[in-house]
Amino acid sequence: MIDLDELSIVHYCHPSCKPFLNICRLTREEAFKQAYRMANENPNTTAFGRFADFEYYYPRRMITDACIYDMFVLLGGNPQEKHPLSFVLQGSDYLHSWFGNGIKIRIKLADIPSEYVSFTLGDSMRAVSKNRERITQLQPGQITMYTKEMLIKELTEFDGSLPEYMNEVAQKYKYIEAQVWNDEYCKV
């Protein structure tokens, strides 16, 4: 049986950045300027590789955020931001390395009200980054989203421990992304 008090979400941040920021909250011009600066200053950092080709990344990120926003609202969420802050359920060594083994902030899932947190299996942009053709919208079913209640239901019905569940997820998706839609719950 899974102990739900063990559940937490983890935010990763490169050592040269500040935590709890989302580049899509900037104006388009400022986002491009910031992305190219970060990519140029950190050429060997995996996390900023996506910023080196920001013409490709930016529209897909905007489409993804709009899609997951709409999906979350349909599932009963009450997002306070158009672009969420990204976390990972239970953490991920893979992502910690991806972000240059920088800042790692853990928040207990119980401390975030259900109306402000959603989850996707794997990276939320996975569905739109598989090909380089121009994508203008996501189709239903391309991203699987869970509310906090849906995730907890799945966890309580799982026949095994939390590490066993997370290992099963990691085999197919690497991790479960969490989106926090209210910055009040994202404090250092």
Side-chain angles (χ1 to χ4, degrees):
M1 180 161 195
I2 294 176
D3 181 0
L4 299 177
D5 291 332
E6 290 180 42
L7 295 176
S8 64
I9 57 174
V10 180
H11 177 76
Y12 296 102
C13 180
H14 189 270
S16 68
C17 296
K18 293 179 183 176
F20 303 133
L21 298 176
N22 182 321
I23 199 163
C24 291
R25 292 181 181 180
L26 300 173
T27 65
R28 179 181 172 87
E29 180 180 317
E30 186 59 33
F32 272 79
K33 180 179 166 185
Q34 188 81 304
Y36 289 131
R37 182 189 63 76
M38 290 169 28
N40 288 331
E41 289 176 3
N42 303 282
N44 298 320
T45 303
T46 310
F48 298 125
R50 60 199 165 142
F51 290 170
D53 189 5
F54 208 60
E55 288 286 340
Y56 171 76
Y57 174 83
Y58 184 76
R60 283 157 177 75
R61 180 75 265 171
M62 297 299 278
I63 291 165
T64 301
D65 283 2
C67 176
I68 62 177
Y69 178 96
D70 290 345
M71 290 172 66
F72 188 45
V73 168
L74 287 172
L75 291 172
N78 183 22
Q80 301 300 296
E81 304 290 340
K82 288 287 185 190
H83 303 280
L85 297 176
S86 296
F87 291 77
V88 179
L89 183 68
Q90 296 303 106
S92 164
D93 291 339
Y94 165 78
L95 283 180
H96 192 223
S97 173
W98 207 73
F99 280 94
N101 296 308
I103 300 165
K104 181 166 91 171
I105 301 169
R106 185 175 297 273
I107 299 174
K108 289 186 65 123
L109 187 57
D111 293 342
I112 303 173
S114 299
E115 66 198 77
Y116 301 132
V117 63
S118 59
F119 303 88
T120 55
L121 296 175
D123 185 272
S124 59
M125 273 194 57
R126 183 178 53 85
V128 295
S129 63
K130 285 184 178 177
N131 61 54
R132 298 189 66 83
E133 70 185 44
R134 188 159 198 66
I135 297 173
T136 57
Q137 68 182 56
L138 288 170
Q139 300 301 314
Q142 282 184 285
I143 296 177
T144 301
M145 179 176 275
Y146 293 105
T147 62
K148 186 174 175 179
E149 286 78 16
M150 293 164 70
L151 178 68
I152 288 171
K153 182 178 187 300
E154 181 164 311
L155 289 170
T156 56
E157 292 175 354
F158 181 74
D159 188 26
S161 68
L162 183 56
E164 290 170 333
Y165 178 84
M166 296 308 296
N167 284 336
E168 276 191 26
V169 168
Q171 288 177 16
K172 187 169 182 182
Y173 301 102
K174 293 202 186 298
Y175 53 85
I176 296 175
E177 181 182 297
Q179 301 89 28
V180 176
W181 298 91
N182 185 331
D183 293 355
E184 285 185 42
Y185 297 93
C186 303
K187 307 282 186 206
V188 178

PDB file of all heavy atoms in Angstrom, residues 130-157:
ATOM      1  N   LYS A 130       7.476  15.606 -31.124  1.00  0.00           N
ATOM      2  CA  LYS A 130       7.886  14.391 -31.835  1.00  0.00           C
ATOM      3  C   LYS A 130       8.268  14.660 -33.282  1.00  0.00           C
ATOM      4  O   LYS A 130       9.040  13.930 -33.865  1.00  0.00           O
ATOM      5  CB  LYS A 130       6.782  13.344 -31.776  1.00  0.00           C
ATOM      6  CG  LYS A 130       6.679  12.685 -30.430  1.00  0.00           C
ATOM      7  CD  LYS A 130       5.647  11.599 -30.467  1.00  0.00           C
ATOM      8  CE  LYS A 130       5.586  10.908 -29.129  1.00  0.00           C
ATOM      9  NZ  LYS A 130       4.559   9.891 -29.083  1.00  0.00           N
ATOM     10  N   ASN A 131       7.699  15.683 -33.864  1.00  0.00           N
ATOM     11  CA  ASN A 131       8.078  15.994 -35.247  1.00  0.00           C
ATOM     12  C   ASN A 131       8.245  17.499 -35.398  1.00  0.00           C
ATOM     13  O   ASN A 131       7.813  18.274 -34.563  1.00  0.00           O
ATOM     14  CB  ASN A 131       7.050  15.439 -36.240  1.00  0.00           C
ATOM     15  CG  ASN A 131       5.677  16.028 -36.037  1.00  0.00           C
ATOM     16  OD1 ASN A 131       5.531  17.238 -36.028  1.00  0.00           O
ATOM     17  ND2 ASN A 131       4.679  15.178 -35.880  1.00  0.00           N
ATOM     18  N   ARG A 132       8.888  17.899 -36.470  1.00  0.00           N
ATOM     19  CA  ARG A 132       9.238  19.305 -36.640  1.00  0.00           C
ATOM     20  C   ARG A 132       8.263  20.062 -37.542  1.00  0.00           C
ATOM     21  O   ARG A 132       8.494  21.213 -37.852  1.00  0.00           O
ATOM     22  CB  ARG A 132      10.665  19.412 -37.172  1.00  0.00           C
ATOM     23  CG  ARG A 132      11.670  18.837 -36.200  1.00  0.00           C
ATOM     24  CD  ARG A 132      13.078  19.123 -36.594  1.00  0.00           C
ATOM     25  NE  ARG A 132      13.409  20.538 -36.541  1.00  0.00           N
ATOM     26  CZ  ARG A 132      13.776  21.213 -35.464  1.00  0.00           C
ATOM     27  NH1 ARG A 132      13.851  20.576 -34.310  1.00  0.00           N
ATOM     28  NH2 ARG A 132      14.078  22.481 -35.519  1.00  0.00           N
ATOM     29  N   GLU A 133       7.180  19.404 -37.952  1.00  0.00           N
ATOM     30  CA  GLU A 133       6.219  20.127 -38.788  1.00  0.00           C
ATOM     31  C   GLU A 133       5.488  21.172 -37.947  1.00  0.00           C
ATOM     32  O   GLU A 133       5.451  21.099 -36.735  1.00  0.00           O
ATOM     33  CB  GLU A 133       5.231  19.156 -39.430  1.00  0.00           C
ATOM     34  CG  GLU A 133       4.266  18.530 -38.433  1.00  0.00           C
ATOM     35  CD  GLU A 133       3.390  17.483 -39.056  1.00  0.00           C
ATOM     36  OE1 GLU A 133       3.896  16.658 -39.823  1.00  0.00           O
ATOM     37  OE2 GLU A 133       2.193  17.496 -38.756  1.00  0.00           O
ATOM     38  N   ARG A 134       4.932  22.138 -38.611  1.00  0.00           N
ATOM     39  CA  ARG A 134       4.233  23.216 -37.897  1.00  0.00           C
ATOM     40  C   ARG A 134       2.969  22.652 -37.249  1.00  0.00           C
ATOM     41  O   ARG A 134       2.118  22.086 -37.914  1.00  0.00           O
ATOM     42  CB  ARG A 134       3.870  24.328 -38.876  1.00  0.00           C
ATOM     43  CG  ARG A 134       3.328  25.551 -38.203  1.00  0.00           C
ATOM     44  CD  ARG A 134       3.504  26.728 -39.161  1.00  0.00           C
ATOM     45  NE  ARG A 134       3.415  28.010 -38.557  1.00  0.00           N
ATOM     46  CZ  ARG A 134       4.250  28.543 -37.673  1.00  0.00           C
ATOM     47  NH1 ARG A 134       5.235  27.841 -37.231  1.00  0.00           N
ATOM     48  NH2 ARG A 134       4.097  29.756 -37.233  1.00  0.00           N
ATOM     49  N   ILE A 135       2.877  22.815 -35.965  1.00  0.00           N
ATOM     50  CA  ILE A 135       1.727  22.321 -35.215  1.00  0.00           C
ATOM     51  C   ILE A 135       0.949  23.523 -34.703  1.00  0.00           C
ATOM     52  O   ILE A 135       1.515  24.427 -34.114  1.00  0.00           O
ATOM     53  CB  ILE A 135       2.186  21.432 -34.040  1.00  0.00           C
ATOM     54  CG1 ILE A 135       2.900  20.199 -34.590  1.00  0.00           C
ATOM     55  CG2 ILE A 135       1.013  21.047 -33.171  1.00  0.00           C
ATOM     56  CD1 ILE A 135       3.529  19.341 -33.534  1.00  0.00           C
ATOM     57  N   THR A 136      -0.335  23.530 -34.938  1.00  0.00           N
ATOM     58  CA  THR A 136      -1.142  24.656 -34.500  1.00  0.00           C
ATOM     59  C   THR A 136      -2.073  24.301 -33.346  1.00  0.00           C
ATOM     60  O   THR A 136      -2.612  25.175 -32.701  1.00  0.00           O
ATOM     61  CB  THR A 136      -1.981  25.214 -35.664  1.00  0.00           C
ATOM     62  OG1 THR A 136      -2.792  24.168 -36.196  1.00  0.00           O
ATOM     63  CG2 THR A 136      -1.082  25.770 -36.753  1.00  0.00           C
ATOM     64  N   GLN A 137      -2.276  23.032 -33.092  1.00  0.00           N
ATOM     65  CA  GLN A 137      -3.088  22.639 -31.946  1.00  0.00           C
ATOM     66  C   GLN A 137      -2.828  21.176 -31.619  1.00  0.00           C
ATOM     67  O   GLN A 137      -2.315  20.424 -32.429  1.00  0.00           O
ATOM     68  CB  GLN A 137      -4.571  22.851 -32.220  1.00  0.00           C
ATOM     69  CG  GLN A 137      -5.137  21.901 -33.279  1.00  0.00           C
ATOM     70  CD  GLN A 137      -6.591  22.189 -33.549  1.00  0.00           C
ATOM     71  OE1 GLN A 137      -6.948  23.293 -33.894  1.00  0.00           O
ATOM     72  NE2 GLN A 137      -7.428  21.199 -33.397  1.00  0.00           N
ATOM     73  N   LEU A 138      -3.171  20.817 -30.411  1.00  0.00           N
ATOM     74  CA  LEU A 138      -3.077  19.427 -29.987  1.00  0.00           C
ATOM     75  C   LEU A 138      -4.432  18.776 -30.166  1.00  0.00           C
ATOM     76  O   LEU A 138      -5.465  19.421 -30.033  1.00  0.00           O
ATOM     77  CB  LEU A 138      -2.668  19.344 -28.514  1.00  0.00           C
ATOM     78  CG  LEU A 138      -1.224  19.699 -28.217  1.00  0.00           C
ATOM     79  CD1 LEU A 138      -1.023  19.802 -26.717  1.00  0.00           C
ATOM     80  CD2 LEU A 138      -0.290  18.661 -28.791  1.00  0.00           C
ATOM     81  N   GLN A 139      -4.413  17.511 -30.453  1.00  0.00           N
ATOM     82  CA  GLN A 139      -5.650  16.755 -30.589  1.00  0.00           C
ATOM     83  C   GLN A 139      -5.975  16.073 -29.263  1.00  0.00           C
ATOM     84  O   GLN A 139      -5.068  15.741 -28.502  1.00  0.00           O
ATOM     85  CB  GLN A 139      -5.503  15.705 -31.696  1.00  0.00           C
ATOM     86  CG  GLN A 139      -5.195  16.295 -33.054  1.00  0.00           C
ATOM     87  CD  GLN A 139      -6.257  17.260 -33.523  1.00  0.00           C
ATOM     88  OE1 GLN A 139      -7.437  16.973 -33.430  1.00  0.00           O
ATOM     89  NE2 GLN A 139      -5.843  18.410 -34.018  1.00  0.00           N
ATOM     90  N   PRO A 140      -7.265  15.828 -28.984  1.00  0.00           N
ATOM     91  CA  PRO A 140      -7.633  15.122 -27.752  1.00  0.00           C
ATOM     92  C   PRO A 140      -6.897  13.780 -27.665  1.00  0.00           C
ATOM     93  O   PRO A 140      -6.733  13.086 -28.655  1.00  0.00           O
ATOM     94  CB  PRO A 140      -9.146  14.914 -27.899  1.00  0.00           C
ATOM     95  CG  PRO A 140      -9.577  15.991 -28.837  1.00  0.00           C
ATOM     96  CD  PRO A 140      -8.420  16.201 -29.779  1.00  0.00           C
ATOM     97  N   GLY A 141      -6.432  13.469 -26.488  1.00  0.00           N
ATOM     98  CA  GLY A 141      -5.764  12.198 -26.273  1.00  0.00           C
ATOM     99  C   GLY A 141      -4.261  12.227 -26.479  1.00  0.00           C
ATOM    100  O   GLY A 141      -3.578  11.265 -26.160  1.00  0.00           O
ATOM    101  N   GLN A 142      -3.718  13.326 -27.028  1.00  0.00           N
ATOM    102  CA  GLN A 142      -2.273  13.392 -27.220  1.00  0.00           C
ATOM    103  C   GLN A 142      -1.539  13.562 -25.898  1.00  0.00           C
ATOM    104  O   GLN A 142      -0.381  13.202 -25.794  1.00  0.00           O
ATOM    105  CB  GLN A 142      -1.895  14.526 -28.171  1.00  0.00           C
ATOM    106  CG  GLN A 142      -2.130  14.176 -29.617  1.00  0.00           C
ATOM    107  CD  GLN A 142      -1.654  15.281 -30.524  1.00  0.00           C
ATOM    108  OE1 GLN A 142      -2.286  16.316 -30.637  1.00  0.00           O
ATOM    109  NE2 GLN A 142      -0.537  15.058 -31.170  1.00  0.00           N
ATOM    110  N   ILE A 143      -2.181  14.140 -24.919  1.00  0.00           N
ATOM    111  CA  ILE A 143      -1.603  14.297 -23.593  1.00  0.00           C
ATOM    112  C   ILE A 143      -2.587  13.705 -22.588  1.00  0.00           C
ATOM    113  O   ILE A 143      -3.766  14.019 -22.613  1.00  0.00           O
ATOM    114  CB  ILE A 143      -1.351  15.782 -23.262  1.00  0.00           C
ATOM    115  CG1 ILE A 143      -0.304  16.374 -24.203  1.00  0.00           C
ATOM    116  CG2 ILE A 143      -0.889  15.941 -21.817  1.00  0.00           C
ATOM    117  CD1 ILE A 143      -0.057  17.847 -23.995  1.00  0.00           C
ATOM    118  N   THR A 144      -2.086  12.848 -21.694  1.00  0.00           N
ATOM    119  CA  THR A 144      -2.913  12.309 -20.628  1.00  0.00           C
ATOM    120  C   THR A 144      -2.695  13.156 -19.389  1.00  0.00           C
ATOM    121  O   THR A 144      -1.571  13.290 -18.917  1.00  0.00           O
ATOM    122  CB  THR A 144      -2.535  10.845 -20.322  1.00  0.00           C
ATOM    123  OG1 THR A 144      -2.699  10.072 -21.509  1.00  0.00           O
ATOM    124  CG2 THR A 144      -3.403  10.276 -19.218  1.00  0.00           C
ATOM    125  N   MET A 145      -3.764  13.760 -18.899  1.00  0.00           N
ATOM    126  CA  MET A 145      -3.675  14.614 -17.721  1.00  0.00           C
ATOM    127  C   MET A 145      -4.468  14.001 -16.575  1.00  0.00           C
ATOM    128  O   MET A 145      -5.530  13.425 -16.774  1.00  0.00           O
ATOM    129  CB  MET A 145      -4.212  16.016 -18.020  1.00  0.00           C
ATOM    130  CG  MET A 145      -4.169  16.942 -16.803  1.00  0.00           C
ATOM    131  SD  MET A 145      -4.684  18.612 -17.189  1.00  0.00           S
ATOM    132  CE  MET A 145      -3.136  19.255 -17.789  1.00  0.00           C
ATOM    133  N   TYR A 146      -3.911  14.177 -15.382  1.00  0.00           N
ATOM    134  CA  TYR A 146      -4.567  13.741 -14.151  1.00  0.00           C
ATOM    135  C   TYR A 146      -4.758  14.943 -13.229  1.00  0.00           C
ATOM    136  O   TYR A 146      -3.898  15.816 -13.166  1.00  0.00           O
ATOM    137  CB  TYR A 146      -3.701  12.727 -13.386  1.00  0.00           C
ATOM    138  CG  TYR A 146      -3.503  11.407 -14.050  1.00  0.00           C
ATOM    139  CD1 TYR A 146      -2.296  11.098 -14.658  1.00  0.00           C
ATOM    140  CD2 TYR A 146      -4.495  10.446 -14.042  1.00  0.00           C
ATOM    141  CE1 TYR A 146      -2.087   9.869 -15.258  1.00  0.00           C
ATOM    142  CE2 TYR A 146      -4.300   9.212 -14.640  1.00  0.00           C
ATOM    143  CZ  TYR A 146      -3.096   8.929 -15.244  1.00  0.00           C
ATOM    144  OH  TYR A 146      -2.908   7.707 -15.830  1.00  0.00           O
ATOM    145  N   THR A 147      -5.860  14.920 -12.505  1.00  0.00           N
ATOM    146  CA  THR A 147      -6.003  15.826 -11.375  1.00  0.00           C
ATOM    147  C   THR A 147      -5.328  15.145 -10.188  1.00  0.00           C
ATOM    148  O   THR A 147      -4.956  13.969 -10.253  1.00  0.00           O
ATOM    149  CB  THR A 147      -7.483  16.069 -11.028  1.00  0.00           C
ATOM    150  OG1 THR A 147      -8.068  14.817 -10.646  1.00  0.00           O
ATOM    151  CG2 THR A 147      -8.247  16.679 -12.197  1.00  0.00           C
ATOM    152  N   LYS A 148      -5.215  15.850  -9.097  1.00  0.00           N
ATOM    153  CA  LYS A 148      -4.630  15.267  -7.879  1.00  0.00           C
ATOM    154  C   LYS A 148      -5.463  14.067  -7.425  1.00  0.00           C
ATOM    155  O   LYS A 148      -4.916  13.020  -7.082  1.00  0.00           O
ATOM    156  CB  LYS A 148      -4.572  16.345  -6.796  1.00  0.00           C
ATOM    157  CG  LYS A 148      -3.860  15.946  -5.531  1.00  0.00           C
ATOM    158  CD  LYS A 148      -3.768  17.175  -4.619  1.00  0.00           C
ATOM    159  CE  LYS A 148      -3.196  16.871  -3.281  1.00  0.00           C
ATOM    160  NZ  LYS A 148      -3.105  18.092  -2.431  1.00  0.00           N
ATOM    161  N   GLU A 149      -6.785  14.204  -7.493  1.00  0.00           N
ATOM    162  CA  GLU A 149      -7.660  13.104  -7.069  1.00  0.00           C
ATOM    163  C   GLU A 149      -7.506  11.884  -7.976  1.00  0.00           C
ATOM    164  O   GLU A 149      -7.518  10.749  -7.509  1.00  0.00           O
ATOM    165  CB  GLU A 149      -9.127  13.559  -7.039  1.00  0.00           C
ATOM    166  CG  GLU A 149      -9.486  14.469  -5.891  1.00  0.00           C
ATOM    167  CD  GLU A 149      -9.016  15.908  -6.110  1.00  0.00           C
ATOM    168  OE1 GLU A 149      -8.679  16.282  -7.258  1.00  0.00           O
ATOM    169  OE2 GLU A 149      -8.956  16.652  -5.120  1.00  0.00           O
ATOM    170  N   MET A 150      -7.408  12.129  -9.280  1.00  0.00           N
ATOM    171  CA  MET A 150      -7.249  11.021 -10.226  1.00  0.00           C
ATOM    172  C   MET A 150      -5.926  10.288  -9.979  1.00  0.00           C
ATOM    173  O   MET A 150      -5.876   9.053 -10.011  1.00  0.00           O
ATOM    174  CB  MET A 150      -7.301  11.538 -11.667  1.00  0.00           C
ATOM    175  CG  MET A 150      -8.659  12.074 -12.074  1.00  0.00           C
ATOM    176  SD  MET A 150      -8.594  13.092 -13.590  1.00  0.00           S
ATOM    177  CE  MET A 150      -8.256  11.856 -14.828  1.00  0.00           C
ATOM    178  N   LEU A 151      -4.872  11.042  -9.727  1.00  0.00           N
ATOM    179  CA  LEU A 151      -3.573  10.436  -9.456  1.00  0.00           C
ATOM    180  C   LEU A 151      -3.615   9.631  -8.159  1.00  0.00           C
ATOM    181  O   LEU A 151      -3.143   8.501  -8.112  1.00  0.00           O
ATOM    182  CB  LEU A 151      -2.487  11.512  -9.377  1.00  0.00           C
ATOM    183  CG  LEU A 151      -1.092  10.991  -9.055  1.00  0.00           C
ATOM    184  CD1 LEU A 151      -0.544  10.151 -10.199  1.00  0.00           C
ATOM    185  CD2 LEU A 151      -0.157  12.150  -8.742  1.00  0.00           C
ATOM    186  N   ILE A 152      -4.190  10.201  -7.129  1.00  0.00           N
ATOM    187  CA  ILE A 152      -4.276   9.502  -5.842  1.00  0.00           C
ATOM    188  C   ILE A 152      -5.102   8.231  -5.978  1.00  0.00           C
ATOM    189  O   ILE A 152      -4.745   7.184  -5.425  1.00  0.00           O
ATOM    190  CB  ILE A 152      -4.834  10.443  -4.748  1.00  0.00           C
ATOM    191  CG1 ILE A 152      -3.756  11.479  -4.408  1.00  0.00           C
ATOM    192  CG2 ILE A 152      -5.278   9.675  -3.519  1.00  0.00           C
ATOM    193  CD1 ILE A 152      -4.226  12.609  -3.513  1.00  0.00           C
ATOM    194  N   LYS A 153      -6.178   8.277  -6.741  1.00  0.00           N
ATOM    195  CA  LYS A 153      -6.993   7.075  -6.978  1.00  0.00           C
ATOM    196  C   LYS A 153      -6.153   5.994  -7.649  1.00  0.00           C
ATOM    197  O   LYS A 153      -6.177   4.828  -7.247  1.00  0.00           O
ATOM    198  CB  LYS A 153      -8.214   7.414  -7.837  1.00  0.00           C
ATOM    199  CG  LYS A 153      -9.147   6.244  -8.106  1.00  0.00           C
ATOM    200  CD  LYS A 153     -10.342   6.711  -8.927  1.00  0.00           C
ATOM    201  CE  LYS A 153     -11.404   5.667  -9.107  1.00  0.00           C
ATOM    202  NZ  LYS A 153     -11.016   4.456  -9.773  1.00  0.00           N
ATOM    203  N   GLU A 154      -5.396   6.388  -8.670  1.00  0.00           N
ATOM    204  CA  GLU A 154      -4.546   5.411  -9.355  1.00  0.00           C
ATOM    205  C   GLU A 154      -3.494   4.833  -8.400  1.00  0.00           C
ATOM    206  O   GLU A 154      -3.228   3.635  -8.413  1.00  0.00           O
ATOM    207  CB  GLU A 154      -3.861   6.053 -10.559  1.00  0.00           C
ATOM    208  CG  GLU A 154      -2.999   5.062 -11.300  1.00  0.00           C
ATOM    209  CD  GLU A 154      -2.620   5.523 -12.682  1.00  0.00           C
ATOM    210  OE1 GLU A 154      -3.509   5.948 -13.444  1.00  0.00           O
ATOM    211  OE2 GLU A 154      -1.431   5.418 -12.988  1.00  0.00           O
ATOM    212  N   LEU A 155      -2.921   5.675  -7.580  1.00  0.00           N
ATOM    213  CA  LEU A 155      -1.901   5.211  -6.635  1.00  0.00           C
ATOM    214  C   LEU A 155      -2.488   4.264  -5.589  1.00  0.00           C
ATOM    215  O   LEU A 155      -1.869   3.259  -5.240  1.00  0.00           O
ATOM    216  CB  LEU A 155      -1.235   6.398  -5.942  1.00  0.00           C
ATOM    217  CG  LEU A 155      -0.320   7.256  -6.806  1.00  0.00           C
ATOM    218  CD1 LEU A 155       0.089   8.527  -6.069  1.00  0.00           C
ATOM    219  CD2 LEU A 155       0.901   6.471  -7.251  1.00  0.00           C
ATOM    220  N   THR A 156      -3.687   4.575  -5.080  1.00  0.00           N
ATOM    221  CA  THR A 156      -4.290   3.713  -4.058  1.00  0.00           C
ATOM    222  C   THR A 156      -4.753   2.386  -4.649  1.00  0.00           C
ATOM    223  O   THR A 156      -4.817   1.387  -3.926  1.00  0.00           O
ATOM    224  CB  THR A 156      -5.464   4.417  -3.346  1.00  0.00           C
ATOM    225  OG1 THR A 156      -6.426   4.833  -4.309  1.00  0.00           O
ATOM    226  CG2 THR A 156      -4.982   5.615  -2.549  1.00  0.00           C
ATOM    227  N   GLU A 157      -5.045   2.352  -5.933  1.00  0.00           N
ATOM    228  CA  GLU A 157      -5.452   1.106  -6.580  1.00  0.00           C
ATOM    229  C   GLU A 157      -4.257   0.281  -7.061  1.00  0.00           C
ATOM    230  O   GLU A 157      -4.416  -0.881  -7.448  1.00  0.00           O
ATOM    231  CB  GLU A 157      -6.380   1.408  -7.761  1.00  0.00           C
ATOM    232  CG  GLU A 157      -7.722   1.960  -7.314  1.00  0.00           C
ATOM    233  CD  GLU A 157      -8.618   2.382  -8.468  1.00  0.00           C
ATOM    234  OE1 GLU A 157      -8.176   2.362  -9.647  1.00  0.00           O
ATOM    235  OE2 GLU A 157      -9.774   2.747  -8.190  1.00  0.00           O
TER     236      GLU A 157
END
